[in-house]
C-alpha cells in the first residue's frame, strides 16, 4: 500500500488556524470593566496601554471648573420651580395678607422663601386655594433641595470611583501620581473657599439690611443668621421692594452655599478614608483568586 506524502509542505505554508489561540487573542483585545450598579453613570473608560501615544486617565475636575451634568440638571429644575411658583402665586395674589410691595416680586419672594423653608411669616396665604397651593410648593421645594443634595452625593461617589479606577490602572499613570492625586488638599481648599463665600454673603446681607431695611446692626445680623440657617423667626425680614428683590437672589445663594459648605466638610473627612483605600489597592498583592476572577471568558488564560 502506498504511503501518503509527508506533511512538511502543509506545515511550511499557511498555518492552520487554532481556535483556542484565536479566542485567547480575542480575549486579550477585549478589556472588560465591571462597575457597581449603584455607581453614578459617568464616562469612565479603561485607559489605553501605557505608551507615548496613550492618554492617561483624566484627573478629577473641581466642581468650580466645568459644570457637571448634574449641576445643569438641578439648574433647569430650579428655573422650572421658580417660574411655575411665581406664576401660581401671582394668580392668587389677592389671597395673601401681610407686607406687600410689587405683586410679581412678592410672588417670586414667597416662592423662594417657601422653597428654602425660611418662612418669615411676613407674607402668608389667607384662602383655602392659596394654602393648598403653598402646601404643594412646600413639598416640591423640599424635594428639589433633596435632589440637590443627592446630586452632590453623586459627585462625591463619582470622584471616589475615578480615584479607584486610576488606582486599578496604575500601570498607565503610575502609583506615585495616584497617591499624589489622592493626597492633595483640594477638599480643604474648597471648604475654606466655601466658608469664605458664606462669610462674604453674610456680611453683604447684614450691610444691606442695615442700610436699606433700616435695621440695627445686631438685628441685621440676627436676621441674616435666621435666614441662612432657614430658621426664619419672622420678627425681622425684608419688607421693601428693593429688599425683596435682593432677597430673591441672596436667600438662594446663602442657603445653598451653607449646604455646600457642609458637603465640603464631609468631603474633607472622607479624603483620609480615600487615601487609605488607594494605598491598600496599590500595596495589595495579586492572588490566585484574583487571577481566577480575571478569567472572564473562562478559557484558562488571562491576558
Amino acid at each position: 500500500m502506498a504511503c501518503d506524502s509527508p506533511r512538511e509542505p502543509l506545515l511550511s505554508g499557511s498555518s492552520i488556524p487554532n481556535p483556542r489561540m484565536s479566542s485567547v487573542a480575542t480575549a486579550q483585545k477585549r478589556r472588560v470593566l465591571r462597575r457597581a450598579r449603584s455607581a453614578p453613570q459617568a464616562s469612565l473608560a479603561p485607559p489605553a496601554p501605557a505608551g507615548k501615544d496613550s492618554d492617561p486617565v483624566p484627573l478629577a475636575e473641581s466642581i468650580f471648573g466645568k459644570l457637571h451634568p448634574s449641576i445643569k440638571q438641578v439648574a433647569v429644575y430650579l428655573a422650572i420651580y421658580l417660574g411655575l411658583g411665581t406664576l401660581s402665586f401671582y394668580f392668587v395674589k389677592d389671597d395673601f395678607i401681610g407686607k406687600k410691595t410689587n405683586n410679581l416680586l412678592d410672588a417670586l419672594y414667597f416662592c423662594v422663601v417657601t422653597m428654602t423653608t425660611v418662612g418669615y411669616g411676613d407674607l402668608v396665604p389667607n384662602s383655602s386655594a392659596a394654602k393648598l397651593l403653598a402646601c404643594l410648593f412646600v413639598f416640591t421645594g423640599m424635594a428639589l433641595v433633596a435632589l440637590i443634595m443627592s446630586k452632590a452625593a453623586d459627585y462625591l461617589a463619582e470622584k471616589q470611583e475615578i480615584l479607584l479606577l486610576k488606582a486599578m490602572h496604575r500601570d498607565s499613570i503610575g502609583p506615585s501620581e495616584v497617591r499624589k492625586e489622592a493626597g492633595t488638599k483640594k477638599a480643604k481648599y474648597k471648604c475654606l473657599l466655601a466658608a469664605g463665600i458664606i462669610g462674604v454673603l453674610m456680611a453683604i446681607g447684614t450691610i444691606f439690611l442695615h442700610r436699606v431695611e433700616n435695621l440695627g446692626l445686631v438685628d441685621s445680623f440676627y436676621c441674616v443668621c435666621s435666614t441662612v440657617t432657614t430658621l426664619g423667626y419672622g420678627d425681622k425680614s425684608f419688607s421693601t421692594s428693593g429688599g425683596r428683590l435682593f432677597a430673591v437672589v441672596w436667600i438662594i445663594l446663602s442657603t445653598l452655599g451653607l449646604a455646600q459648605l457642609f458637603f465640603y466638610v464631609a468631603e474633607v473627612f472622607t479624603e483620609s478614608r480615600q487615601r487609605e483605600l488607594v494605598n491598600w489597592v496599590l500595596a495589595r498583592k495579586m492572588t490566585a483568586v484574583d487571577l481566577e476572577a480575571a478569567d472572564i471568558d473562562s478559557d484558562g488564560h488571562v491576558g
Side-chain angles (χ1 to χ4, degrees):
M1 182 182 293
C3 296
D4 294 335
S5 59
R7 297 183 181 182
E8 282 78 3
L10 182 59
L11 294 176
S12 59
S14 60
S15 61
I16 300 176
N18 192 339
R20 183 179 182 83
M21 294 299 295
S22 60
S23 63
V24 172
T26 305
Q28 290 178 349
K29 292 180 181 179
R30 185 175 66 252
R31 301 185 68 182
V32 180
L33 177 63
R34 292 185 175 181
R35 302 173 66 240
R37 293 183 178 180
S38 59
Q41 294 181 358
S43 57
L44 299 176
K52 294 183 179 180
D53 299 333
S54 61
D55 296 329
V57 178
L59 301 179
E61 294 184 357
S62 171
I63 197 172
F64 293 105
K66 274 189 174 182
L67 282 180
H68 196 274
S70 299
I71 300 178
K72 296 179 182 179
Q73 184 180 9
V74 168
V76 171
Y77 289 156
L78 181 61
I80 294 174
Y81 176 86
L82 293 178
L84 292 178
T86 302
L87 291 178
S88 301
F89 292 127
Y90 178 78
F91 289 143
V92 293
K93 57 183 179 297
D94 296 330
D95 297 333
F96 281 81
I97 59 174
K99 300 177 182 178
K100 295 185 179 180
T101 56
N102 179 273
N103 292 328
L104 186 61
L105 181 58
D106 289 344
L108 179 59
Y109 169 77
F110 182 79
C111 184
V112 172
V113 170
T114 302
M115 180 194 69
T116 56
T117 67
V118 174
Y120 287 122
D122 54 347
L123 195 64
V124 293
N126 194 34
S127 67
S128 299
K131 289 179 181 179
L132 290 176
L133 189 63
C135 292
L136 174 63
F137 276 90
V138 163
F139 286 104
T140 308
M142 293 182 67
L144 181 59
V145 173
L147 176 64
I148 295 175
M149 294 296 101
S150 66
K151 295 302 180 181
D154 287 347
Y155 167 79
L156 182 60
E158 181 177 338
K159 180 181 177 182
Q160 184 175 6
E161 185 182 3
I162 293 175
L163 193 62
L164 289 176
L165 182 66
K166 289 185 294 184
M168 288 187 295
H169 296 88
R170 60 187 184 276
D171 54 343
S172 59
I173 61 176
S176 59
E177 188 174 349
V178 174
R179 288 193 177 96
K180 181 179 179 182
E181 175 67 14
T184 54
K185 299 181 179 180
K186 289 183 179 179
K188 291 184 179 179
Y189 294 149
K190 289 188 293 185
C191 184
L192 293 175
L193 179 60
I197 292 176
I198 287 296
V200 171
L201 287 174
M202 292 182 66
I204 292 174
T206 302
I207 295 173
F208 185 89
L209 286 169
H210 178 65
R211 295 291 182 87
V212 179
E213 298 292 339
N214 296 322
L215 297 178
L217 286 176
V218 176
D219 290 339
S220 299
F221 183 71
Y222 164 77
C223 181
V224 165
C225 292
S226 63
T227 302
V228 171
T229 56
T230 69
L231 285 175
Y233 289 119
D235 51 344
K236 305 295 180 182
S237 62
F238 298 88
S239 57
T240 62
S241 298
R244 290 186 176 178
L245 182 62
F246 169 80
V248 166
V249 179
W250 181 81
I251 290 177
I252 294 178
L253 293 179
S254 59
T255 53
L256 294 182
L258 184 62
Q260 191 71 29
L261 173 61
F262 290 153
F263 165 72
Y264 286 148
V265 170
E267 188 177 1
V268 168
F269 284 104
T270 56
E271 256 196 356
S272 59
R273 174 59 180 167
Q274 290 179 356
R275 287 195 295 268
E276 292 177 1
L277 190 58
V278 167
N279 290 330
W280 177 81
V281 171
L282 295 176
R284 182 174 178 268
K285 296 181 179 179
M286 183 171 293
T287 62
V289 177
D290 297 329
L291 294 175
E292 292 178 1
D295 187 13
I296 299 176
D297 50 3
S298 301
D299 61 346
H301 292 79
V302 178

